[in-house]
Amino acid sequence: GKQIVGKTTLCGVYLLFFRDWRGFCASVTYDYCRIVWLGVWILYKKAIYLRSKKNIKIMFSTFNFQELTSAFIVLFAVIDIIGSIPIILNLKQNGRDVNAIQATLISFALLIGFFYAGDMILKLFQVDIASFAVAGSVVLFLLALEMILDVEIFKNTGPIKEATLVPLVFPLLAGAGSFTTLLSLRAEYAPLNIVIALVLNMVWVYIVLKSTDKVEKKLGKGGIYLIRKFFGIILLAIAARLFTANITLLIDQFQGVC
């Protein structure tokens, strides 16, 4: 009888303590794994945060107010939304509605897309930025002549008749001049400054498109004419600087190869 009682007692102790202890250990191990996993996840997120913070610091370390101002003026002169006011008013008088927000967003998407994908396109055709900048400076030179001399060099002969897309988005806002200007500027300035300048120009474009009649009344036809001439001269000077700076690089590269 004592043996039976002893065996029963041992079984009870095993069931009450050892079995529960195994469950307790399993529970503690599970919680420990959860804590370790949580710690690793926190460290991983912290590393991503520090890396992104470092990248942001590196990105903003290239910010230069002078480059931003110069890029803004160049894009302002090339996009020339003020000079396009008579064209926009003529479109409205002919019953062709202009959607300001749609025109601004589509133009910005096209310009920013070409700004970042332009390098890949150039590499596809084995053209470097310096060569493209020289070609772009020639386009800017011709655009400046248009503004100064009141001659039409670039003609819109497209078949599409919608006012928002053609001629407003293309070629007035996001045309060949704007595309070449962006990549030409990239050869000279940090991308951050160019993107900020482009965003500011798009904000200005939206304001002008939204209140075309008011802008024309405040500036007057004479004011618009003077602004167009003034920025035409500035654009001509910038085109000359872009040409001389990049043609020098190409000549140095050519001499290095020879």
Side-chain angles (χ1 to χ4, degrees), residues 155-171:
K155 296 182 180 181
N156 176 31
T157 57
I160 303 174
K161 300 302 180 183
E162 289 82 2
T164 299
L165 294 177
V166 178
L168 187 55
V169 171
F170 185 86

Side-chain angles (χ1 to χ4, degrees), residues 78 132-147 153-154 175-181 184 235-236 239 242-243:
V78 171
F132 195 85
V134 171
S137 66
V138 175
V139 175
L140 292 181
F141 177 80
L142 295 175
L143 286 171
L145 289 181
E146 274 193 340
M147 297 170 71
I153 299 173
F154 299 100
S178 302
F179 291 143
T180 53
T181 300
S184 300
L235 191 60
L236 188 64
L242 276 173
F243 181 83

Side-chain angles (χ1 to χ4, degrees), residues 250-258:
L250 290 177
I251 292 171
D252 292 339
Q253 290 176 7
F254 181 75
Q255 290 177 347
V257 172
C258 295

Side-chain angles (χ1 to χ4, degrees), residues 69-159:
T69 306
S70 181
F72 176 83
I73 292 173
V74 173
L75 290 171
F76 184 90
V78 171
I79 295 172
D80 189 28
I81 189 62
I82 295 294
S84 300
I85 287 177
I87 301 173
I88 298 168
L89 290 173
N90 185 55
L91 291 172
K92 288 184 175 180
Q93 288 172 3
N94 292 333
R96 299 171 68 182
D97 292 332
V98 173
N99 190 321
I101 187 66
Q102 185 181 2
T104 304
L105 291 177
I106 293 174
S107 300
F108 179 73
L110 289 173
L111 291 170
I112 202 70
F114 188 82
F115 178 73
Y116 284 107
D119 277 345
M120 293 185 289
I121 297 172
L122 292 181
K123 288 177 182 177
L124 182 65
F125 294 100
Q126 297 182 346
V127 177
D128 58 1
I129 294 182
S131 301
F132 195 85
V134 171
S137 66
V138 175
V139 175
L140 292 181
F141 177 80
L142 295 175
L143 286 171
L145 289 181
E146 274 193 340
M147 297 170 71
I148 296 170
L149 302 177
D150 286 332
V151 294
E152 187 181 6
I153 299 173
F154 299 100
K155 296 182 180 181
N156 176 31
T157 57

Side-chain angles (χ1 to χ4, degrees), residues 36-50:
V36 170
W37 179 84
L38 182 62
V40 171
W41 183 80
I42 291 172
L43 290 174
Y44 173 73
K45 288 294 184 181
K46 183 70 173 177
I48 291 176
Y49 171 74
L50 292 174

Side-chain angles (χ1 to χ4, degrees), residues 23-41:
F24 174 74
C25 289
S27 177
V28 169
T29 304
Y30 176 71
D31 290 338
Y32 175 74
C33 290
R34 286 176 62 188
I35 292 170
V36 170
W37 179 84
L38 182 62
V40 171
W41 183 80

